[in-house]
Amino acid sequence: MPEVRDWSGARRGVLFRPIKQQLTLRLDADVIAWFKSHTLNGEGYQTSINRALRAYVEQHTAAPPDRS
């Protein structure tokens, strides 16, 4: 007989992670130093940079610019 599992507490999408793309990016040393010294909850500085870039993109794509 197959094992019966209780999935009532399962949550969809909890383990989803966006696809990452590795690349070489040259940033100013003082910018990198700032992110390294201002990381949140022990996460890496690259995660902080990614979060800042994502927030910038979201702010600039929320409403298309008025071109009239």
Side-chain angles (χ1 to χ4, degrees):
M1 179 172 207
E3 179 183 347
V4 178
R5 296 183 183 193
D6 179 16
W7 293 95
S8 61
R11 296 179 297 167
R12 184 180 294 263
V14 174
L15 299 177
F16 172 76
R17 291 185 177 200
I19 296 172
K20 303 283 185 177
Q21 181 177 354
Q22 185 174 355
L23 62 106
T24 300
L25 180 65
R26 295 183 183 272
L27 301 173
D28 294 338
D30 59 326
V31 172
I32 295 171
W34 187 90
F35 276 97
K36 284 184 175 182
S37 67
H38 289 84
T39 57
L40 301 172
N41 301 324
E43 69 184 10
Y45 72 97
Q46 292 175 342
T47 301
S48 297
I49 293 171
N50 191 67
R51 181 176 287 115
L53 289 171
R54 182 172 298 282
Y56 179 90
V57 169
E58 288 173 358
Q59 284 180 339
H60 289 82
T61 58
D66 184 17
R67 305 237 181 215
S68 46

